[in-house]
Each structure stands twice: as C-alpha cells, then as structure tokens.
Amino acid sequence: DRRPRVLSGIQPTADSFHLGNYLGAVRNWVTMQDTCDAYYMVVDLHAITAGHDAKVLRDRTRVSLAQLLAFGIDPTRSTLFIQSHVPEHAQLGWVLSCITGFGEASRMTQFKDKSAKQGAERSSVGLFTYPILQAADILLYQADAVPVGEDQRQHLELTRDLAQRFNHLFGKTFTLPEAYIPKATAKILDLQDPTAKMSKSSSSPTGLLEIMEDKARSAKKIKSAVTDTGREILFDPEDKPGVSNLLTIYSALSGRTIEDLVTAYAGKGYGDLKKDLAEVFVDFVTPIQAATREYLDDPAQLDKMLAIGAEKARAVASQTLAAVYDHVGF
Ligand code: ADP
Ligand code: NA
C-alpha cells in the first residue's frame, strides 16, 4: 500500500457529535478514505483524564463509533477501532514519557488552559501526560500525516520532537508525521454567539446543533439563530458573522457554493434563509440518525466490527512496539 498513511482520533465525550465535529473533522475523514491508508479511532483513553462515569463512557464510545459508521467511515476501507482495545498505546506512551522532559511537557498550552479551569492542584497527571499518549497514538502507526486543527499544532510538534529524539537515541524507528490541514475545513460558529466556535463544552444548548438530537428541536434552534439588524443576505464574516455562519453551514450541507446561495437569496429575508436551512439540516441528519440507531441496535455486529478493527490496528501497532522494546533493551 503506497498511499500516505493518516491517523486521527475523536473523543467519546458526548452523547452526540455536533455539526462542528462533522464539518470540521469527520467529513474530511470520510473523504480521505479515497486517497489514504486511514486509521481512525475513538480515543477513550484520552476521555478519562478529567473524571468520568464508567457506564456513560462505555455508551458514548459505542454511540461515537455508530455515528462514524453512519457518516460513512467504511471499516472495510479504513481501520476503525477503539483506542483502549490496542494496549500498545499505553505501552508506547510509557516509553515516550521517559524521554520527555518535565519542562518540555510543562510548556503545553492546552494543559495550562485546562488545568487552570479545573484548578492546577486537582488536575490529573493523565491530563498532564496526555500529549505524550497522543504522540504514541500517532507514532505507533508510522503515520505520514495527521489532520490537525490549530489547537493541536503544539502537540504534533512534540510528537515530531519525540520521534526524532527516539530515532537519534536508539536508532531509526519512527516516521516523522506531518501536519495536514485540509482545505475544505469549515469552522462552525455558535448559533447564539457567532463570535465563538460551536463547542460542546462552551456553547449554550441553543447554540449547539447536535446530530442525534430531536430534529424539530434543531430546526427551532436554526430558526432562532442570532443574526444582525440588517436585512441583506451577504457573506461577510467580519460584519455579519451570524448570517455568514448560516451560509457556511448551508453550503457545506447542500454542496452549493456560497456565491450561488447569496445570488439565490438576493431580495429575500433572514427568515427565508433560516427556514430553508432548517430543512436542509433535517434532511441531512434524518438518514444519519437512522443509520446510527441501526448500528446500535445490533450490538453483536458492532462488537464483531470492533474486534476486526482492533486486530487490524494491533497488527501494525505490535510491530512498532516490538521494535521499540528491542531498541530500548527490553
Ligand atoms: P469541542 O470543541 O466541541 O469540545 P472537540 O475539541 O472534541 O470539540 O473537537 C473534535 C473535532 O471536531 C476536532 O477535530 C475539532 O477541530 C472539530 N471541531 C470541533 N468544533 C468545531 C467547530 N465549531 N468547527 C469546526 N470544527 C470543529
Ligand atoms: Na474542545
């Protein structure tokens, strides 16, 4: 297989993905299956760094998996698995933590932000070493490219530093992964506060469009989205962030260009745009919700798929770990 290998993960930290997760991440995962040897995982090890409930985590991991399948991740073309099913992640994480400087890890800004929110004394050591586990996630599969957002750049730099350091200390073992920022990535904004991104942790319930929620509720949220006091439907993210966000979503879900939409809505009002977008959104989520439920309704089939995914992932991960163990003297 000469296609570039890509790896990406998503946390099972909610009962539903939101539209930002799909348009900003998962939609690209689906596309990359055509040109890449793709490894996609639900990162449950990462989901326990800040306290959790066991049953909730188990349910969210499965519902995340089912949604990925419903969105079009195809386990016969990609390797789709749950991180904790592959023990090599934690094993390589330990080795890498022993070549990471304490000061180096302390400079990770995401840890500083998150631990400041939780209270530094209360933050877990797992939250602190999280970027090292992330490095292990990537390096185990010898990934060539990792699709990342801006907020993950520093972690990818750490991954590259650790790979280089290990290769230098113990002999060439790891591929150096490149950051890959897909062109078509849309940044989706909060419907109620279009100066902030749509986010499960910071958006208000009415600002967040969840894929699995009641469709009438989603339609209502779209119809009550914050716009501005003007009347013209124009794409102007600076001065009209609310309307522009609706146009971005409309374009992404319908495949129509923004210019085409602006032309089509010339002379019409915000109400017309919202009403039509609500319909487009409902048409989009209806089959996704049905497919997700179908996957969840057949636990034995889902388990079988997960076992195959874990086996495919371990075939690669165990080879890398064996080389690492050999190199460090185990
Ligand atoms: P959240 O901000 O809701 O906690 P995560 O940080 O778990 O979301 O993000 C998971 C993936 O979804 C990441 O790849 C991230 O870049 C993408 N993503 C999250 N929110 C948005 C958004 N509003 N617009 C575009 N992409 C997003
Ligand atoms: Na986040």
Side-chain angles (χ1 to χ4, degrees):
D1 197 337
R2 305 169 70 101
R3 296 171 301 167
R5 184 171 290 171
V6 297
L7 175 126
S8 205
I10 196 153
Q11 288 211 32
T13 42
D15 298 325
S16 170
F17 289 133
H18 61 74
L19 188 63
N21 297 141
Y22 174 66
L23 294 180
V26 180
R27 188 172 59 145
N28 289 318
W29 292 16
V30 174
T31 312
M32 284 186 298
Q33 297 183 115
D34 298 334
T35 50
C36 301
D37 177 20
Y39 285 70
Y40 298 130
M41 59 183 174
V42 174
V43 292
D44 54 349
L45 296 180
H46 287 291
I48 66 166
T49 52
H52 75 287
D53 176 89
K55 180 176 186 321
V56 171
L57 175 63
R58 189 170 291 122
D59 289 347
R60 287 179 171 177
T61 299
R62 293 180 78 84
V63 88
S64 300
L65 237 308
Q67 284 175 90
L68 292 177
L69 292 163
F71 281 134
I73 301 299
D74 175 357
T76 67
R77 295 158 69 211
S78 301
T79 303
L80 178 65
F81 63 102
I82 294 176
Q83 186 188 26
S84 66
H85 291 183
V86 182
E88 285 82 359
H89 289 258
Q91 292 173 293
L92 180 59
W94 173 253
V95 174
L96 294 179
S97 73
C98 294
I99 64 161
T100 307
F102 184 78
E104 185 177 34
S106 305
R107 284 192 289 275
M108 294 298 120
T109 57
Q110 195 182 78
F111 172 74
K112 289 192 215 170
D113 295 346
K114 287 193 178 172
S115 72
K117 274 187 207 146
Q118 290 169 17
E121 279 296 318
R122 298 228 233 136
S123 301
S124 70
V125 174
L127 184 66
F128 181 69
T129 58
Y130 177 111
I132 305 171
L133 183 59
Q134 215 175 30
D137 297 339
I138 297 166
L139 299 178
L140 267 182
Y141 299 95
Q142 310 286 359
D144 300 299
V146 186
V148 284
E150 251 341 289
D151 56 332
Q152 291 296 322
R153 264 185 185 281
Q154 195 187 25
H155 292 176
L156 188 70
E157 274 313 305
L158 177 71
T159 301
R160 290 172 55 87
D161 288 346
L162 293 178
Q164 251 165 333
R165 189 173 307 154
F166 189 98
N167 287 349
H168 178 74
L169 287 170
F170 299 107
K172 172 92 177 81
T173 310
F174 295 122
T175 303
L176 280 194
E178 305 281 345
Y180 166 66
I181 307 200
K183 291 192 285 299
T185 304
K187 185 171 171 194
I188 306 305
L189 305 175
D190 189 323
L191 295 181
Q192 287 301 314
D193 173 13
T195 62
K197 73 166 203 161
M198 186 179 284
S199 163
K200 65 176 176 287
S201 45
S202 55
S203 291
S204 68
T206 47
L208 188 71
L209 282 175
E210 289 176 298
I211 302 297
M212 294 305 293
E213 84 185 336
D214 177 66
K215 289 175 272 186
R217 207 173 123 78
S218 301
K220 210 168 150 196
K221 289 184 191 179
I222 292 170
K223 288 176 190 162
S224 11
V226 164
T227 44
D228 54 62
T229 53
R231 336 173 46 101
E232 256 190 301
I233 296 171
L234 294 173
F235 188 74
D236 180 353
E238 279 290 306
D239 291 332
K240 287 176 164 288
V243 174
S244 302
N245 186 41
L246 297 178
L247 287 168
T248 300
I249 296 172
Y250 200 147
S251 168
L253 293 181
S254 67
R256 293 168 68 180
T257 64
I258 288 182
E259 299 81 77
D260 175 31
L261 290 170
V262 168
T263 308
Y265 282 93
K268 293 190 183 168
Y270 294 167
D272 301 309
L273 175 71
K274 290 176 178 179
K275 188 170 149 289
D276 293 349
L277 176 57
E279 239 170 72
V280 167
F281 182 81
V282 168
D283 287 347
F284 167 70
V285 295
T286 299
I288 303 289
Q289 290 186 355
T292 301
R293 290 202 190 94
E294 236 171 85
Y295 287 115
L296 291 173
D297 284 346
D298 193 347
Q301 182 59 26
L302 194 58
D303 284 339
K304 203 170 128 196
M305 212 181 298
L306 288 172
I308 294 169
E311 198 180 323
K312 279 165 71 182
R314 287 199 78 181
V316 178
S318 65
Q319 274 190 28
T320 305
L321 190 75
V324 167
Y325 271 23
D326 188 45
H327 275 115
V328 298
F330 292 159

mmCIF file of all heavy atoms in Angstrom, residues 8-11 13 17-26 29 110 114 147-152 185-190 196-202 208, ligand 1:
data_model
loop_
_atom_site.group_PDB
_atom_site.id
_atom_site.type_symbol
_atom_site.label_atom_id
_atom_site.label_comp_id
_atom_site.label_asym_id
_atom_site.label_seq_id
_atom_site.Cartn_x
_atom_site.Cartn_y
_atom_site.Cartn_z
ATOM 1 N N SER A 8 -6.217 9.653 12.790
ATOM 2 C CA SER A 8 -6.942 10.682 13.511
ATOM 3 C C SER A 8 -7.831 10.048 14.572
ATOM 4 O O SER A 8 -8.258 8.903 14.427
ATOM 5 C CB SER A 8 -7.782 11.509 12.532
ATOM 6 O OG SER A 8 -8.016 12.787 13.074
ATOM 7 N N GLY A 9 -8.085 10.796 15.630
ATOM 8 C CA GLY A 9 -8.928 10.273 16.701
ATOM 9 C C GLY A 9 -9.943 11.298 17.146
ATOM 10 O O GLY A 9 -9.764 12.494 16.935
ATOM 11 N N ILE A 10 -11.015 10.801 17.736
ATOM 12 C CA ILE A 10 -12.012 11.721 18.282
ATOM 13 C C ILE A 10 -12.466 11.196 19.632
ATOM 14 O O ILE A 10 -12.578 9.979 19.835
ATOM 15 C CB ILE A 10 -13.183 11.950 17.287
ATOM 16 C CG1 ILE A 10 -13.989 13.183 17.672
ATOM 17 C CG2 ILE A 10 -14.061 10.705 17.131
ATOM 18 C CD1 ILE A 10 -14.691 13.857 16.499
ATOM 19 N N GLN A 11 -12.685 12.105 20.573
ATOM 20 C CA GLN A 11 -13.046 11.702 21.938
ATOM 21 C C GLN A 11 -14.529 11.360 22.064
ATOM 22 O O GLN A 11 -15.372 12.049 21.494
ATOM 23 C CB GLN A 11 -12.761 12.863 22.892
ATOM 24 C CG GLN A 11 -11.294 13.084 23.125
ATOM 25 C CD GLN A 11 -11.022 13.630 24.522
ATOM 26 O OE1 GLN A 11 -11.738 13.332 25.490
ATOM 27 N NE2 GLN A 11 -9.978 14.415 24.629
ATOM 28 N N THR A 13 -16.768 12.051 24.208
ATOM 29 C CA THR A 13 -17.128 12.820 25.399
ATOM 30 C C THR A 13 -18.537 13.408 25.356
ATOM 31 O O THR A 13 -18.869 14.261 26.155
ATOM 32 C CB THR A 13 -16.111 13.951 25.635
ATOM 33 O OG1 THR A 13 -15.803 14.536 24.375
ATOM 34 C CG2 THR A 13 -14.843 13.441 26.267
ATOM 35 N N PHE A 17 -22.207 13.711 18.404
ATOM 36 C CA PHE A 17 -21.314 14.690 17.801
ATOM 37 C C PHE A 17 -22.142 15.920 17.475
ATOM 38 O O PHE A 17 -23.359 15.835 17.296
ATOM 39 C CB PHE A 17 -20.676 14.138 16.528
ATOM 40 C CG PHE A 17 -19.661 13.053 16.796
ATOM 41 C CD1 PHE A 17 -19.682 11.864 16.071
ATOM 42 C CD2 PHE A 17 -18.680 13.212 17.766
ATOM 43 C CE1 PHE A 17 -18.739 10.865 16.311
ATOM 44 C CE2 PHE A 17 -17.741 12.220 18.016
ATOM 45 C CZ PHE A 17 -17.770 11.046 17.288
ATOM 46 N N HIS A 18 -21.494 17.072 17.393
ATOM 47 C CA HIS A 18 -22.207 18.264 16.949
ATOM 48 C C HIS A 18 -21.788 18.568 15.514
ATOM 49 O O HIS A 18 -20.871 17.948 14.970
ATOM 50 C CB HIS A 18 -22.012 19.433 17.916
ATOM 51 C CG HIS A 18 -20.599 19.905 18.098
ATOM 52 N ND1 HIS A 18 -19.926 20.639 17.142
ATOM 53 C CD2 HIS A 18 -19.737 19.753 19.136
ATOM 54 C CE1 HIS A 18 -18.720 20.926 17.594
ATOM 55 N NE2 HIS A 18 -18.571 20.387 18.799
ATOM 56 N N LEU A 19 -22.497 19.522 14.908
ATOM 57 C CA LEU A 19 -22.258 19.780 13.493
ATOM 58 C C LEU A 19 -20.812 20.216 13.224
ATOM 59 O O LEU A 19 -20.248 19.895 12.176
ATOM 60 C CB LEU A 19 -23.246 20.842 12.991
ATOM 61 C CG LEU A 19 -23.231 21.065 11.483
ATOM 62 C CD1 LEU A 19 -23.659 19.817 10.721
ATOM 63 C CD2 LEU A 19 -24.115 22.263 11.107
ATOM 64 N N GLY A 20 -20.206 20.928 14.174
ATOM 65 C CA GLY A 20 -18.798 21.339 14.023
ATOM 66 C C GLY A 20 -17.867 20.137 13.943
ATOM 67 O O GLY A 20 -16.923 20.126 13.150
ATOM 68 N N ASN A 21 -18.125 19.118 14.744
ATOM 69 C CA ASN A 21 -17.306 17.900 14.698
ATOM 70 C C ASN A 21 -17.389 17.260 13.315
ATOM 71 O O ASN A 21 -16.388 16.793 12.775
ATOM 72 C CB ASN A 21 -17.768 16.859 15.728
ATOM 73 C CG ASN A 21 -17.646 17.301 17.165
ATOM 74 O OD1 ASN A 21 -18.506 17.005 17.981
ATOM 75 N ND2 ASN A 21 -16.588 18.019 17.500
ATOM 76 N N TYR A 22 -18.605 17.247 12.756
ATOM 77 C CA TYR A 22 -18.752 16.627 11.436
ATOM 78 C C TYR A 22 -18.090 17.489 10.350
ATOM 79 O O TYR A 22 -17.214 17.013 9.625
ATOM 80 C CB TYR A 22 -20.226 16.362 11.102
ATOM 81 C CG TYR A 22 -20.375 15.856 9.679
ATOM 82 C CD1 TYR A 22 -19.855 14.610 9.322
ATOM 83 C CD2 TYR A 22 -20.965 16.638 8.696
ATOM 84 C CE1 TYR A 22 -19.919 14.152 8.007
ATOM 85 C CE2 TYR A 22 -21.047 16.186 7.380
ATOM 86 C CZ TYR A 22 -20.515 14.952 7.047
ATOM 87 O OH TYR A 22 -20.565 14.521 5.753
ATOM 88 N N LEU A 23 -18.492 18.750 10.251
ATOM 89 C CA LEU A 23 -17.986 19.581 9.142
ATOM 90 C C LEU A 23 -16.511 19.942 9.316
ATOM 91 O O LEU A 23 -15.804 20.155 8.338
ATOM 92 C CB LEU A 23 -18.836 20.848 9.002
ATOM 93 C CG LEU A 23 -20.286 20.598 8.557
ATOM 94 C CD1 LEU A 23 -21.037 21.922 8.456
ATOM 95 C CD2 LEU A 23 -20.350 19.850 7.228
ATOM 96 N N GLY A 24 -16.035 19.975 10.573
ATOM 97 C CA GLY A 24 -14.643 20.347 10.808
ATOM 98 C C GLY A 24 -13.696 19.164 10.845
ATOM 99 O O GLY A 24 -12.489 19.332 10.706
ATOM 100 N N ALA A 25 -14.206 17.962 11.059
ATOM 101 C CA ALA A 25 -13.301 16.820 11.200
ATOM 102 C C ALA A 25 -13.777 15.591 10.421
ATOM 103 O O ALA A 25 -13.134 15.166 9.460
ATOM 104 C CB ALA A 25 -13.120 16.479 12.680
ATOM 105 N N VAL A 26 -14.903 15.038 10.821
ATOM 106 C CA VAL A 26 -15.294 13.721 10.315
ATOM 107 C C VAL A 26 -15.559 13.716 8.804
ATOM 108 O O VAL A 26 -15.250 12.752 8.113
ATOM 109 C CB VAL A 26 -16.503 13.160 11.108
ATOM 110 C CG1 VAL A 26 -16.905 11.791 10.578
ATOM 111 C CG2 VAL A 26 -16.185 13.083 12.595
ATOM 112 N N TRP A 29 -12.439 13.031 7.228
ATOM 113 C CA TRP A 29 -12.050 11.627 7.405
ATOM 114 C C TRP A 29 -12.670 10.769 6.297
ATOM 115 O O TRP A 29 -12.026 9.883 5.743
ATOM 116 C CB TRP A 29 -12.550 11.068 8.734
ATOM 117 C CG TRP A 29 -11.937 11.612 9.990
ATOM 118 C CD1 TRP A 29 -11.190 12.754 10.137
ATOM 119 C CD2 TRP A 29 -12.030 11.016 11.293
ATOM 120 N NE1 TRP A 29 -10.836 12.902 11.446
ATOM 121 C CE2 TRP A 29 -11.332 11.853 12.180
ATOM 122 C CE3 TRP A 29 -12.647 9.868 11.786
ATOM 123 C CZ2 TRP A 29 -11.224 11.570 13.545
ATOM 124 C CZ3 TRP A 29 -12.543 9.588 13.133
ATOM 125 C CH2 TRP A 29 -11.831 10.434 14.004
ATOM 126 N N GLN A 110 -2.263 23.661 26.038
ATOM 127 C CA GLN A 110 -3.595 23.100 26.268
ATOM 128 C C GLN A 110 -3.718 22.596 27.713
ATOM 129 O O GLN A 110 -4.756 22.758 28.345
ATOM 130 C CB GLN A 110 -3.888 21.966 25.287
ATOM 131 C CG GLN A 110 -5.355 21.608 25.257
ATOM 132 C CD GLN A 110 -5.635 20.454 24.312
ATOM 133 O OE1 GLN A 110 -5.393 19.294 24.625
ATOM 134 N NE2 GLN A 110 -6.134 20.782 23.142
ATOM 135 N N LYS A 114 -6.469 23.925 30.375
ATOM 136 C CA LYS A 114 -7.428 23.009 31.001
ATOM 137 C C LYS A 114 -7.209 22.913 32.501
ATOM 138 O O LYS A 114 -8.165 22.837 33.271
ATOM 139 C CB LYS A 114 -7.336 21.617 30.370
ATOM 140 C CG LYS A 114 -7.937 21.573 28.968
ATOM 141 C CD LYS A 114 -8.130 20.144 28.483
ATOM 142 C CE LYS A 114 -8.773 20.132 27.107
ATOM 143 N NZ LYS A 114 -8.820 18.792 26.514
ATOM 144 N N PRO A 147 -4.265 14.882 10.309
ATOM 145 C CA PRO A 147 -5.113 16.069 10.154
ATOM 146 C C PRO A 147 -5.299 16.726 11.520
ATOM 147 O O PRO A 147 -5.760 16.071 12.453
ATOM 148 C CB PRO A 147 -6.442 15.516 9.622
ATOM 149 C CG PRO A 147 -6.353 14.044 9.686
ATOM 150 C CD PRO A 147 -5.004 13.632 10.169
ATOM 151 N N VAL A 148 -4.900 17.970 11.631
ATOM 152 C CA VAL A 148 -4.996 18.650 12.926
ATOM 153 C C VAL A 148 -5.582 20.039 12.787
ATOM 154 O O VAL A 148 -5.413 20.702 11.773
ATOM 155 C CB VAL A 148 -3.615 18.825 13.614
ATOM 156 C CG1 VAL A 148 -3.140 17.536 14.207
ATOM 157 C CG2 VAL A 148 -2.582 19.409 12.669
ATOM 158 N N GLY A 149 -6.216 20.477 13.826
ATOM 159 C CA GLY A 149 -6.655 21.862 13.925
ATOM 160 C C GLY A 149 -5.530 22.685 14.540
ATOM 161 O O GLY A 149 -4.541 22.132 15.033
ATOM 162 N N GLU A 150 -5.710 23.995 14.519
ATOM 163 C CA GLU A 150 -4.711 24.921 15.079
ATOM 164 C C GLU A 150 -4.352 24.542 16.516
ATOM 165 O O GLU A 150 -3.190 24.581 16.902
ATOM 166 C CB GLU A 150 -5.269 26.343 15.070
ATOM 167 C CG GLU A 150 -4.674 27.323 14.074
ATOM 168 C CD GLU A 150 -3.323 26.992 13.478
ATOM 169 O OE1 GLU A 150 -2.325 27.067 14.231
ATOM 170 O OE2 GLU A 150 -3.231 26.690 12.282
ATOM 171 N N ASP A 151 -5.373 24.170 17.304
ATOM 172 C CA ASP A 151 -5.158 23.905 18.727
ATOM 173 C C ASP A 151 -4.305 22.662 18.988
ATOM 174 O O ASP A 151 -3.866 22.428 20.104
ATOM 175 C CB ASP A 151 -6.516 23.786 19.447
ATOM 176 C CG ASP A 151 -7.416 22.721 18.828
ATOM 177 O OD1 ASP A 151 -7.285 22.462 17.610
ATOM 178 O OD2 ASP A 151 -8.242 22.139 19.556
ATOM 179 N N GLN A 152 -4.072 21.859 17.954
ATOM 180 C CA GLN A 152 -3.293 20.635 18.149
ATOM 181 C C GLN A 152 -1.870 20.735 17.596
ATOM 182 O O GLN A 152 -1.096 19.787 17.666
ATOM 183 C CB GLN A 152 -3.993 19.442 17.474
ATOM 184 C CG GLN A 152 -5.287 19.044 18.159
ATOM 185 C CD GLN A 152 -5.051 18.537 19.574
ATOM 186 O OE1 GLN A 152 -4.074 17.860 19.827
ATOM 187 N NE2 GLN A 152 -5.925 18.893 20.501
ATOM 188 N N THR A 185 -11.942 22.564 5.287
ATOM 189 C CA THR A 185 -12.457 22.546 6.640
ATOM 190 C C THR A 185 -13.212 23.825 6.980
ATOM 191 O O THR A 185 -12.683 24.915 6.883
ATOM 192 C CB THR A 185 -11.315 22.346 7.649
ATOM 193 O OG1 THR A 185 -10.635 21.157 7.288
ATOM 194 C CG2 THR A 185 -11.855 22.217 9.048
ATOM 195 N N ALA A 186 -14.441 23.663 7.366
ATOM 196 C CA ALA A 186 -15.251 24.810 7.763
ATOM 197 C C ALA A 186 -15.191 24.955 9.273
ATOM 198 O O ALA A 186 -15.220 23.969 10.003
ATOM 199 C CB ALA A 186 -16.689 24.593 7.319
ATOM 200 N N LYS A 187 -15.090 26.201 9.736
ATOM 201 C CA LYS A 187 -15.186 26.439 11.165
ATOM 202 C C LYS A 187 -16.620 26.875 11.452
ATOM 203 O O LYS A 187 -17.097 27.873 10.932
ATOM 204 C CB LYS A 187 -14.201 27.520 11.589
ATOM 205 C CG LYS A 187 -14.164 27.714 13.072
ATOM 206 C CD LYS A 187 -13.028 28.635 13.459
ATOM 207 C CE LYS A 187 -13.140 29.003 14.931
ATOM 208 N NZ LYS A 187 -12.262 30.135 15.252
ATOM 209 N N ILE A 188 -17.303 26.084 12.254
ATOM 210 C CA ILE A 188 -18.716 26.338 12.515
ATOM 211 C C ILE A 188 -18.856 27.111 13.823
ATOM 212 O O ILE A 188 -18.234 26.759 14.828
ATOM 213 C CB ILE A 188 -19.492 24.996 12.583
ATOM 214 C CG1 ILE A 188 -19.243 24.165 11.309
ATOM 215 C CG2 ILE A 188 -20.981 25.240 12.795
ATOM 216 C CD1 ILE A 188 -19.564 24.879 10.010
ATOM 217 N N LEU A 189 -19.679 28.148 13.785
ATOM 218 C CA LEU A 189 -19.804 29.015 14.951
ATOM 219 C C LEU A 189 -21.083 28.718 15.741
ATOM 220 O O LEU A 189 -22.043 28.139 15.216
ATOM 221 C CB LEU A 189 -19.787 30.482 14.500
ATOM 222 C CG LEU A 189 -18.560 30.863 13.647
ATOM 223 C CD1 LEU A 189 -18.679 32.293 13.152
ATOM 224 C CD2 LEU A 189 -17.264 30.671 14.436
ATOM 225 N N ASP A 190 -21.049 29.111 16.987
ATOM 226 C CA ASP A 190 -22.184 29.015 17.902
ATOM 227 C C ASP A 190 -23.377 29.782 17.313
ATOM 228 O O ASP A 190 -23.237 30.941 16.932
ATOM 229 C CB ASP A 190 -21.720 29.649 19.232
ATOM 230 C CG ASP A 190 -22.696 29.454 20.366
ATOM 231 O OD1 ASP A 190 -23.910 29.498 20.116
ATOM 232 O OD2 ASP A 190 -22.223 29.285 21.499
ATOM 233 N N ALA A 196 -18.004 32.985 18.639
ATOM 234 C CA ALA A 196 -17.304 31.846 19.252
ATOM 235 C C ALA A 196 -17.590 30.588 18.440
ATOM 236 O O ALA A 196 -18.617 30.496 17.757
ATOM 237 C CB ALA A 196 -17.795 31.632 20.678
ATOM 238 N N LYS A 197 -16.684 29.593 18.513
ATOM 239 C CA LYS A 197 -16.948 28.369 17.744
ATOM 240 C C LYS A 197 -18.013 27.515 18.444
ATOM 241 O O LYS A 197 -18.175 27.589 19.659
ATOM 242 C CB LYS A 197 -15.666 27.576 17.503
ATOM 243 C CG LYS A 197 -15.093 26.842 18.684
ATOM 244 C CD LYS A 197 -14.036 25.824 18.213
ATOM 245 C CE LYS A 197 -13.896 24.730 19.269
ATOM 246 N NZ LYS A 197 -13.278 23.516 18.801
ATOM 247 N N MET A 198 -18.728 26.766 17.643
ATOM 248 C CA MET A 198 -19.689 25.817 18.200
ATOM 249 C C MET A 198 -18.883 24.774 18.956
ATOM 250 O O MET A 198 -17.961 24.172 18.410
ATOM 251 C CB MET A 198 -20.486 25.174 17.064
ATOM 252 C CG MET A 198 -21.609 24.270 17.535
ATOM 253 S SD MET A 198 -22.555 23.559 16.138
ATOM 254 C CE MET A 198 -23.552 24.948 15.627
ATOM 255 N N SER A 199 -19.208 24.549 20.228
ATOM 256 C CA SER A 199 -18.420 23.630 21.042
ATOM 257 C C SER A 199 -19.278 22.992 22.112
ATOM 258 O O SER A 199 -20.107 23.655 22.735
ATOM 259 C CB SER A 199 -17.266 24.396 21.697
ATOM 260 O OG SER A 199 -16.740 23.654 22.774
ATOM 261 N N LYS A 200 -19.078 21.695 22.321
ATOM 262 C CA LYS A 200 -19.898 21.005 23.324
ATOM 263 C C LYS A 200 -19.616 21.556 24.721
ATOM 264 O O LYS A 200 -20.484 21.533 25.579
ATOM 265 C CB LYS A 200 -19.673 19.498 23.298
ATOM 266 C CG LYS A 200 -18.272 19.092 23.692
ATOM 267 C CD LYS A 200 -18.102 17.596 23.759
ATOM 268 C CE LYS A 200 -16.656 17.238 24.053
ATOM 269 N NZ LYS A 200 -15.750 17.465 22.908
ATOM 270 N N SER A 201 -18.379 22.035 24.939
ATOM 271 C CA SER A 201 -18.036 22.482 26.288
ATOM 272 C C SER A 201 -18.434 23.926 26.553
ATOM 273 O O SER A 201 -18.707 24.284 27.688
ATOM 274 C CB SER A 201 -16.541 22.278 26.552
ATOM 275 O OG SER A 201 -15.786 22.723 25.457
ATOM 276 N N SER A 202 -18.482 24.763 25.515
ATOM 277 C CA SER A 202 -18.742 26.174 25.798
ATOM 278 C C SER A 202 -20.002 26.749 25.158
ATOM 279 O O SER A 202 -20.456 27.821 25.563
ATOM 280 C CB SER A 202 -17.525 27.016 25.417
ATOM 281 O OG SER A 202 -17.186 26.789 24.071
ATOM 282 N N LEU A 208 -25.857 25.067 19.954
ATOM 283 C CA LEU A 208 -25.189 23.834 19.530
ATOM 284 C C LEU A 208 -26.139 22.967 18.708
ATOM 285 O O LEU A 208 -27.248 22.677 19.149
ATOM 286 C CB LEU A 208 -24.782 23.072 20.803
ATOM 287 C CG LEU A 208 -23.915 21.843 20.713
ATOM 288 C CD1 LEU A 208 -22.482 22.215 20.335
ATOM 289 C CD2 LEU A 208 -23.899 21.109 22.064
HETATM 290 P P1 ADP B 1 -15.480 20.565 21.151
HETATM 291 O O1 ADP B 1 -14.855 21.918 20.858
HETATM 292 O O2 ADP B 1 -16.922 20.545 20.912
HETATM 293 O O3 ADP B 1 -15.047 20.049 22.512
HETATM 294 P P2 ADP B 1 -13.525 18.752 20.155
HETATM 295 O O4 ADP B 1 -12.465 19.625 20.712
HETATM 296 O O5 ADP B 1 -13.799 17.455 20.819
HETATM 297 O O6 ADP B 1 -14.871 19.585 20.071
HETATM 298 O O7 ADP B 1 -13.222 18.546 18.618
HETATM 299 C C1 ADP B 1 -13.292 17.338 17.914
HETATM 300 C C2 ADP B 1 -13.013 17.649 16.459
HETATM 301 O O8 ADP B 1 -14.044 18.479 15.921
HETATM 302 C C3 ADP B 1 -11.719 18.413 16.241
HETATM 303 O O9 ADP B 1 -11.095 17.918 15.074
HETATM 304 C C4 ADP B 1 -12.157 19.842 16.047
HETATM 305 O O10 ADP B 1 -11.269 20.577 15.254
HETATM 306 C C5 ADP B 1 -13.508 19.673 15.373
HETATM 307 N N1 ADP B 1 -14.391 20.780 15.745
HETATM 308 C C6 ADP B 1 -14.940 20.978 16.964
HETATM 309 N N2 ADP B 1 -15.714 22.074 16.968
HETATM 310 C C7 ADP B 1 -15.659 22.594 15.711
HETATM 311 C C8 ADP B 1 -16.263 23.730 15.079
HETATM 312 N N3 ADP B 1 -17.063 24.543 15.740
HETATM 313 N N4 ADP B 1 -15.993 23.944 13.763
HETATM 314 C C9 ADP B 1 -15.173 23.110 13.084
HETATM 315 N N5 ADP B 1 -14.580 22.040 13.619
HETATM 316 C C10 ADP B 1 -14.810 21.766 14.919
#
